[in-house]
Amino acid sequence: MCGIVGFSSRSTSAVRPLVSGLSRLEYRGYDSAGVALESTAGVRVFKQTGKVAELDKLLKRELPEEERAKYTLGIAHTRWATHGLPTVANAHPHLADGGRLALVHNGIIENYAALRDGLERRGVEFVSQTDTEVLAHLVAAFDRGDFLAAVCEALKRVEGTYGIAAISARHPGEMVVARKGSPLVIGIGEKDTVVASDVSAIVAYTRQVIYLKDGDVAMVTPDGVDIHSLDNSPVSREVQEVDWDIGAIEKGGYDHFMLKEIFEQPDALANTIRGRLDPGGGTAILSGLNLSPRELAAVRRLVIVGCGTSLHAGMVGKCLFESLADVPASPEQAAEFRYSNPIVGPDDWVIALSQSGETADTLAAVRESIRKGALVSALCNVVGSTIAREAGRGVYLHAGPEISVASTKAFTAQVTALLMTALKLGRTRRLSREAGDRLVREITGLPDLVRRVLAQSEAIARIAEKYASASDMFFIGRGILYPVALEGALKVKEVAYVHAEGYQAAELKHGPIALLSEKTPVVALLADIPGKEKTLGNVQECRARNAPVIAVATEGDETAAATDAMVVPKTCPELAPIVSAVALQLFAYHVARLRGCEIDQPRNLAKSVTVE
Ligand code: F6R
């Protein structure tokens, strides 16, 4: 949420790297953007509302090419508004010290009002409504000649979360960066050093990176990086190599990242599965869980925490754990969990699901569960992310970078990882080797099944054409397909701006059916799972109210009762959510495309929600 880029070089102009870094981070927030550039003459700031392209246009107008070479140090930001409207005044970087100091910030300063009062009493004038401007003035107030020390002093007074980068004309050539609860990565290039809130803005320059930890403050100069703790003592952090390259974060011929990521799923899932199945033992090998059979056997209850799409994956996980391992499982919305004084303890296994590994509410749920002594694991996609590190054990999804704001391949990878976890847990209990073997075979064939759904993209596009103008839609499913109904509705809401509701198929007649008419398409999840016959009955109820029904049905089993059918291959109930979800992703994508929506960056949203 919000993106930060910083660039420091001996000889290269910072302007282009900052702007292209921001474009790569735009998926994290895109309501305004800005850069601050330092030269011997001082700091210059350019800010614009709207997308990074608008900022680029402003720079082209106001900063001629020939002037750019002198700016070899700079910071930049793309914003997702929390405090104050998306205006130029509220856009980052924020200035202090008479325009000499510039600072960009991700996160939320919770005590900003008190800090602002104190600064105002000392005569500081504010020009924005943001919490970040407070931080800029606070750093300036503590600047007595040592920039890093000034940042440390300011941060000691701050409650909340931050990833920051700051420059000051009083300290030429220096950039100070720090993190607490909001990621920050430093890329060590041969000639240049790049800082970003996400490694995707760095890989164009280098794959050698340092992931800062909470409480780290670093001085970045063209000569290198010095990392300290908040009390200003030196700390050392390992340089790591990023294991994917720039191709993974480019569109590669697709019109949108969302479509590319939908189509990447066979490979993404093959990566999630690779090396993790044990056909002989009929189980899964998930060494990152770091749990002995004895520890697994002692688990009495599972709690699965996550938000949004990750929560929906967790709801599928509940069904898998209960059916394969006979262990009660409850999916919990992470923010609710955290504030509900959750009853978890040493017999409970809390699994946190997060694509980004940075979602604030999920992280808080992890911390609360650790405090309460539960066994905690994380299933994350982003390697080295905060949730993955704090949980200390878990399963990486290895689905590759997900750039589209709407999550697709992370969902199917999460469900696959949960299925393997449930298989492993099940094998410590009642699940026989034969049953385990059957699942191992099914999971091995999953990438091919998904390929067969993708082959339906054109057919699904034709169905989308019929319904793209609807203003309301319903998605119904039961059992393990109910969370997929929720996920299908979420996808349509966020990328196509169509009001959509996901319901348990049987629940429709307890009220919502009053809304059905020939104008409200109902997408019915009818893949082969126990209870399908009952859902067919619910389809009849919808048809009797003239609602068109779009079935997501198994090949050869397209129900005559439905108006249209998206066909998915026949598979076992455990994999039905995955193939059905892929069909719904395509449906949402095509509806959004036909409605002319901004698919990869839907309005009001941002990837990676690092605020509560
Ligand atoms: C929906 C979507 C969000 C995220 C949610 C959690 O398409 O992307 O609902 O799933 O914000 O994010 P992670 O998984 O990064 O914790």
Side-chain angles (χ1 to χ4, degrees):
M1 186 156 272
C2 301
I4 287 178
V5 191
F7 187 83
S8 164
S9 170
R10 239 175 240 303
S11 52
T12 312
S13 165
V15 180
R16 199 48 22 226
L18 289 173
V19 174
S20 56
L22 283 188
S23 309
R24 299 228 181 265
L25 294 187
E26 207 167 22
Y27 70 105
R28 297 178 67 99
Y30 33 82
D31 57 42
S32 54
V35 293
L37 303 164
E38 190 205 274
S39 75
T40 43
V43 168
R44 275 186 81 180
V45 174
F46 302 85
K47 304 203 272 190
Q48 188 60 286
T49 52
K51 298 208 165 182
V52 175
E54 300 305 316
L55 173 69
D56 199 21
K57 280 186 210 154
L58 176 78
L59 284 163
K60 283 191 177 120
R61 278 198 310 274
E62 299 198 357
L63 189 62
E65 277 309 321
E66 57 278 12
E67 273 186 47
R68 295 183 175 203
K70 67 180 181 204
Y71 298 108
T72 55
L73 174 67
I75 55 176
H77 190 266
T78 175
R79 180 171 185 247
W80 185 85
T82 58
H83 294 64
L85 291 171
T87 59
V88 170
N90 288 334
H92 302 213
H94 287 284
L95 296 176
D97 192 15
R100 278 179 286 263
L101 184 147
L103 183 142
V104 292
H105 163 232
N106 287 352
I108 290 194
I109 308 299
E110 285 167 3
N111 59 339
Y112 87 102
L115 293 171
R116 182 169 171 144
D117 275 357
L119 287 160
E120 278 175 335
R121 275 200 295 275
R122 286 160 58 188
V124 173
E125 282 180 22
F126 283 82
V127 295
S128 80
Q129 299 153 297
T130 65
D131 50 341
T132 304
E133 195 184 359
V134 172
L135 202 48
H137 286 297
L138 209 54
V139 174
F142 285 108
D143 190 353
R144 298 188 184 96
D146 180 337
F147 197 21
L148 187 114
V151 172
C152 290
E153 283 312 308
L155 294 180
K156 281 185 204 160
R157 280 147 183 93
V158 155
E159 286 162 25
T161 55
Y162 52 78
I164 62 161
I167 54 175
S168 164
R170 289 185 196 273
H171 306 281
E174 295 185 358
M175 168 172 34
V176 179
V177 302
R179 77 156 276 176
K180 183 183 158 212
S182 194
L184 216 53
V185 192
I186 303 176
I188 315 287
E190 276 176 20
K191 295 198 196 119
D192 316 318
T193 309
V194 197
V195 174
S197 44
D198 183 324
V199 78
S200 57
I202 292 180
V203 283
Y205 299 92
T206 176
R207 284 161 71 176
Q208 306 297 313
V209 299
I210 297 172
Y211 294 97
L212 289 187
K213 295 198 169 156
D214 277 354
D216 288 353
V217 187
M219 169 63 76
V220 179
T221 64
D223 297 326
V225 178
D226 262 326
I227 308 177
H228 297 251
S229 61
L230 264 194
D231 60 12
N232 212 341
S233 34
V235 290
S236 86
R237 298 278 174 244
E238 188 194 347
V239 178
Q240 299 182 28
E241 175 148 348
V242 180
D243 63 358
W244 46 267
D245 60 22
I246 193 84
I249 50 167
E250 296 193 325
K251 284 192 201 148
Y254 286 92
D255 288 342
H256 298 96
F257 279 111
M258 183 179 179
L259 190 63
K260 177 185 178 228
E261 287 157 12
I262 292 172
F263 272 83
E264 277 171 350
Q265 287 176 109
D267 291 339
L269 297 179
N271 289 336
T272 308
I273 297 163
R274 181 164 301 118
R276 286 171 163 168
L277 292 173
D278 169 13
T283 186
I285 309 157
L286 299 168
S287 44
L289 287 179
N290 205 10
L291 291 170
S292 64
R294 184 188 289 266
E295 284 171 300
L296 287 173
V299 171
R300 291 282 149 263
R301 187 174 67 116
L302 273 138
V303 178
I304 311 172
V305 293
C307 302
T309 291
S310 292
L311 176 62
H312 297 156
M315 293 170 77
V316 177
K318 167 199 163 71
C319 302
L320 295 170
F321 282 112
E322 293 186 345
S323 68
L324 296 173
D326 267 350
V327 182
S330 47
E332 303 274 351
Q333 206 285 338
E336 295 292 327
F337 175 82
R338 161 203 200 172
Y339 288 114
S340 64
N341 190 20
I343 304 167
V344 288
D347 293 341
D348 300 315
W349 185 8
V350 176
I351 298 186
L353 293 180
S354 177
Q355 187 287 126
S356 61
E358 303 293 345
T359 299
D361 286 323
T362 311
L363 176 60
V366 164
R367 289 179 176 159
E368 181 65 7
S369 305
I370 292 173
R371 269 194 291 271
K372 295 207 155 166
L375 199 61
V376 179
S377 305
L379 267 58
C380 295
N381 194 31
V382 177
V383 174
S385 53
T386 311
I387 292 172
R389 281 196 276 113
E390 294 208 9
R393 55 176 119 210
V395 179
Y396 277 122
L397 304 178
H398 297 312
E402 196 179 63
I403 305 292
S404 159
V405 165
S407 188
T408 53
K409 61 179 177 173
F411 175 79
T412 50
Q414 282 167 334
V415 173
T416 306
L418 285 166
L419 174 56
M420 292 190 290
T421 310
L423 168 62
K424 187 175 171 71
L425 189 63
R427 289 286 290 121
T428 66
R429 298 157 189 251
R430 69 163 182 89
L431 199 70
S432 69
R433 205 176 76 187
E434 292 66 37
D437 265 347
R438 176 193 63 81
L439 266 176
V440 166
R441 281 194 301 279
E442 300 276 7
I443 300 170
T444 308
L446 177 61
D448 274 334
L449 294 177
V450 171
R451 246 174 232 120
R452 283 161 63 189
V453 186
L454 296 176
Q456 303 295 314
S457 182
E458 286 308 311
I460 293 175
R462 284 193 291 278
I463 297 174
E465 244 165 70
K466 279 176 75 176
Y467 301 104
S469 61
S471 42
D472 305 276
M473 291 185 190
F474 286 85
F475 289 72
I476 58 169
R478 60 175 69 219
I480 200 164
L481 292 177
Y482 164 54
V484 180
L486 295 177
E487 177 59 11
L490 177 62
K491 287 287 93 83
V492 163
K493 278 185 260 216
E494 64 183 332
V495 297
Y497 311 147
V498 174
H499 166 239
E501 308 254 11
Y503 271 99
Q504 278 135 339
E507 186 63 20
L508 212 58
K509 59 183 165 299
H510 296 285
I513 203 165
L515 295 170
L516 292 194
S517 73
E518 67 289 351
K519 294 199 177 111
T520 48
V522 177
V523 179
L525 292 160
L526 287 163
D528 240 339
I529 62 158
K532 185 187 88 176
E533 299 309 318
K534 304 279 177 205
T535 311
L536 280 171
N538 304 129
V539 165
Q540 297 290 2
E541 292 154 12
C542 299
R543 295 296 293 127
R545 274 86 195 164
N546 285 329
V549 172
I550 309 157
V552 178
T554 306
E555 265 159 9
D557 192 29
E558 301 88 337
T559 165
T563 327
D564 293 278
M566 302 188 236
V567 178
V568 294
K570 190 167 176 55
T571 182
C572 59
E574 291 85 357
L575 296 184
I578 297 180
V579 292
S580 306
V582 174
L584 296 190
Q585 293 165 355
L586 285 168
F587 179 70
Y589 172 82
H590 288 300
V591 171
R593 178 180 56 77
L594 292 158
R595 291 170 72 99
C597 299
E598 285 248 37
I599 294 181
D600 285 332
Q601 292 169 353
R603 69 182 175 218
N604 303 340
L605 299 182
K607 192 94 178 152
S608 181
V609 183
T610 52
V611 294
E612 287 178 37

